[in-house]
Amino acid sequence: MNITREQVDALNAVVTVAITKDDYTPQVEKVLKDYRKNANIPGFRKGAVPMSLIEKQYGKAILLDEVNKLLQTSLNDYLVQEKLDILGNPLPKVTEDFNWDADDFSFQFELGLAPQFSVDLGAKNKVVKYNIVADDTMLDEQVERIQKQFGKLIAKDTVEEGDDITGTFTNEEKGINNRTTISTDIFKTKKDGKKFIGKKAGDVVTLSTKGLFNDDHKLMDYLKVDHDDVHGLDIEVNFTIEEVNTHEKAELNQELFDKLFGEGNVSSVEELKAKIKEDAEQQFAQQADQKFLNDVTESLIENTTFELPAEFLVKWLQTAGEKQLTAEEAAEEYKKSENGLRYQLIEGKVITENGLQITFDDLKAYASKIIKQQMAQFGHLNPTDEEVDSITARVLTNQDEVKRLSEQVMSEKMMNLFKEKVKYKTKEVTYQDFIKVMYGE
């Protein structure tokens, strides 16, 4: 057997695998003998069928099977030995006059090679890392929400200003059918709020979505409209009133503080707001980190330039999936996935160059942290190490969970690396301003 490589250019190569009769004959003969031992052919005793008959009936199929096995094993071993970093899989070149009746065979494969490039994490960029703060307006709103939530609910017949109105937004054409609770002060204009004053259960109020709220994204919350549809949405929706309630707000006293945060942990409105601020900003930090990670990713894709074997990859995509694609469909698919492929290559290089390997201890520690957080949500604030270790061990026997956790651990490692090495600006914003930045407003 002889394997040779022709380097077409830096990103493309053709490998030729030449297989001789001596390479495959021993294995073909062994399989034929095994067939003869077990063959059941009328007129012959088991194991006594003439080899010539076995060869005639099964020889060609066995030859094809064994040559293909040898071909794949040899090609894979060659790629490993030569340390070739390929994209996709080798593509066999079709030979019109290929002859399986010959003694020797020659097979050719096209290879798409990964490009050589460097990643400069410290390069100049436009990335901003946001520090989201809970401002006084948000804190006041949260305190009021808590007072309503723990206050006394009083049913009413007719709507007055400030009441909670439960009902359903509908628009048949857009498929909107969402039950929610609103109040008269959520709208951008007082005019829309006043449409509800004096209404009762069963009444229907018609509203225009254009300019209904100060922020169009509230349409996603109240109407369950997709993000792509909220901007400039100009339709009429009906709100059918089902219940009218008012709240007798809970007093901001020690009883409420203890109910919220445990006995003695909070003892004043100022401490309440401080606790709300701390909890909110922890959640905001996670959202800010995710945007930072996304922005660094986009920056690296934009600023790390290298060529890809595009023609090869388009050809490979035609046969890579369950459904065979046309050349046009494969070209479109490549266009959609190109940035993802570029980042996979960039990420792989960053991981290798910075030694970002995931150990079992990393997975165990991360899984334990997540499990403790989930237990805390259900009121189990101080689990024993034995409890956590038992659940962690069970989780880590699930391969799907291990894969998911591995991705999250690597994402966290990449995040920490970017914070350390990427040059970025820091900007303090309120949550509302952050939302506007998120959606490009």
Side-chain angles (χ1 to χ4, degrees):
M1 181 188 300
N2 187 35
I3 303 180
T4 57
R5 180 170 85 248
E6 176 192 353
Q7 199 72 32
V8 178
D9 56 38
L11 300 175
N12 294 274
V14 175
V15 168
T16 301
V17 183
I19 297 177
T20 67
K21 187 175 182 179
D22 291 340
D23 295 322
Y24 61 80
T25 296
Q27 186 60 25
V28 169
E29 289 179 349
K30 179 180 182 301
V31 176
L32 284 170
K33 286 178 183 178
D34 290 340
Y35 266 61
R36 187 186 182 206
K37 290 178 185 177
N38 300 299
N40 288 310
I41 296 180
F44 299 96
R45 286 182 293 107
K46 186 176 181 179
V49 180
M51 182 58 79
S52 59
L53 190 59
I54 295 293
E55 289 177 347
K56 182 178 180 181
Q57 189 163 348
Y58 302 109
K60 181 58 70 68
I62 292 172
L63 171 68
L64 266 63
D65 191 37
E66 293 306 318
V67 168
N68 276 314
K69 286 180 183 177
L70 179 61
L71 176 62
Q72 291 303 320
T73 301
S74 303
L75 180 59
N76 289 337
D77 289 346
Y78 175 80
L79 296 176
V80 172
Q81 290 167 7
E82 294 294 309
K83 298 179 180 178
L84 293 177
D85 190 3
I86 66 171
L87 301 178
N89 292 316
L91 286 178
K93 295 187 75 173
V94 178
T95 305
E96 298 294 338
D97 58 351
F98 191 86
N99 182 15
W100 279 105
D101 292 324
D103 289 335
D104 301 334
F105 309 106
S106 180
F107 302 91
Q108 288 190 318
F109 294 87
E110 296 178 70
L111 303 181
L113 305 177
Q116 297 297 315
F117 61 94
S118 60
V119 181
D120 185 2
L121 294 179
K124 186 177 179 181
N125 60 65
K126 298 179 181 178
V127 175
V128 175
K129 187 177 184 304
Y130 292 94
N131 177 29
I132 308 172
V133 296
D135 59 0
D136 290 340
T137 300
M138 171 176 280
L139 296 178
D140 290 340
E141 289 174 351
Q142 289 299 311
V143 169
E144 186 171 357
R145 182 187 62 79
I146 289 171
Q147 286 183 275
K148 282 187 175 182
Q149 181 181 346
F150 289 90
K152 185 177 179 182
L153 189 68
I154 302 171
K156 296 181 63 177
D157 291 328
T158 59
V159 178
E160 294 181 281
E161 191 170 337
D163 288 343
D164 287 341
I165 311 158
T166 299
T168 303
F169 277 112
T170 57
N171 178 288
E172 188 173 344
E173 182 183 352
K174 288 289 185 178
I176 295 170
N177 191 321
N178 187 54
R179 190 173 189 269
T180 186
T181 298
I182 63 173
S183 60
T184 57
D185 57 2
I186 65 168
F187 303 108
K188 184 175 182 179
T189 66
K190 291 183 178 180
K191 180 180 178 182
D192 284 321
K194 287 181 177 179
K195 290 181 180 179
F196 289 85
I197 303 300
K199 300 295 184 183
K200 300 180 180 181
D203 288 345
V204 178
V205 177
T206 300
L207 301 163
S208 171
T209 58
K210 186 175 181 179
L212 188 59
F213 303 111
N214 285 320
D215 182 356
D216 280 347
H217 293 104
K218 288 185 178 179
L219 293 171
M220 293 190 292
D221 298 326
Y222 289 111
L223 274 63
K224 296 303 177 192
V225 179
D226 291 338
H227 170 259
D228 292 339
D229 295 331
V230 298
H231 296 289
L233 183 66
D234 188 6
I235 60 172
E236 286 192 341
V237 289
N238 291 324
F239 187 90
T240 303
I241 298 173
E242 298 168 15
E243 297 177 17
V244 181
N245 296 291
T246 190
H247 283 269
E248 184 180 291
K249 293 182 182 179
E251 288 186 35
L252 296 173
N253 55 25
Q254 194 62 48
E255 181 183 354
L256 177 60
F257 300 152
D258 290 347
K259 187 181 294 184
L260 290 169
F261 300 107
E263 188 173 346
N265 291 317
V266 171
S267 57
S268 67
V269 175
E270 289 72 23
E271 289 181 9
L272 170 64
K273 288 185 176 181
K275 184 65 176 173
I276 294 172
K277 182 178 178 68
E278 178 186 354
D279 292 346
E281 290 181 355
Q282 283 181 358
Q283 295 181 32
F284 296 161
Q286 294 176 7
Q287 296 180 53
D289 277 352
Q290 188 58 55
K291 177 164 176 56
F292 174 70
L293 184 62
N294 294 342
D295 289 348
V296 172
T297 297
E298 290 181 11
S299 177
L300 288 175
I301 292 172
E302 181 181 347
N303 295 311
T304 307
T305 57
F306 52 82
E307 295 296 321
L308 289 171
E311 186 177 341
F312 168 85
L313 290 170
V314 169
K315 192 185 299 184
W316 171 69
L317 282 170
Q318 287 185 254
T319 57
E322 295 181 4
K323 176 190 172 187
Q324 184 140 347
L325 304 178
T326 65
E328 291 76 15
E329 288 172 334
E332 186 63 29
E333 185 64 27
Y334 173 72
K335 187 177 179 182
K336 291 177 184 176
S337 60
E338 182 181 353
N339 275 353
L341 173 58
R342 286 183 178 277
Y343 186 67
Q344 284 180 18
L345 293 171
I346 293 169
E347 183 182 50
K349 185 168 282 289
V350 170
I351 289 171
T352 301
E353 291 181 349
N354 293 276
L356 300 184
Q357 304 306 316
I358 298 175
T359 67
F360 178 76
D361 287 341
D362 290 334
L363 279 177
K364 184 178 178 182
Y366 187 81
S368 297
K369 181 179 75 171
I370 298 299
I371 288 164
K372 287 179 181 178
Q373 290 173 352
Q374 292 175 343
M375 294 175 80
Q377 289 176 358
F378 291 96
H380 196 359
L381 301 177
N382 296 300
T384 64
D385 291 342
E386 290 77 12
E387 287 177 308
V388 175
D389 288 345
S390 175
I391 299 172
T392 301
R394 190 162 64 248
V395 168
L396 294 180
T397 61
N398 184 315
Q399 291 304 309
D400 289 337
E401 281 297 304
V402 169
K403 180 181 178 182
R404 184 179 66 83
L405 289 170
S406 297
E407 291 172 351
Q408 292 177 355
V409 170
M410 182 53 70
S411 179
E412 192 172 88
K413 284 177 176 283
M414 293 287 283
M415 173 79 72
N416 292 334
L417 179 72
F418 291 161
K419 287 180 179 178
E420 176 188 345
K421 294 196 172 184
V422 172
K423 294 179 180 178
Y424 56 85
K425 294 180 180 179
T426 303
K427 185 175 182 180
E428 188 173 284
V429 294
T430 65
Y431 185 68
Q432 288 301 320
D433 287 339
F434 178 73
I435 291 297
K436 292 177 182 178
V437 171
M438 277 284 289
Y439 295 107
E441 296 178 5

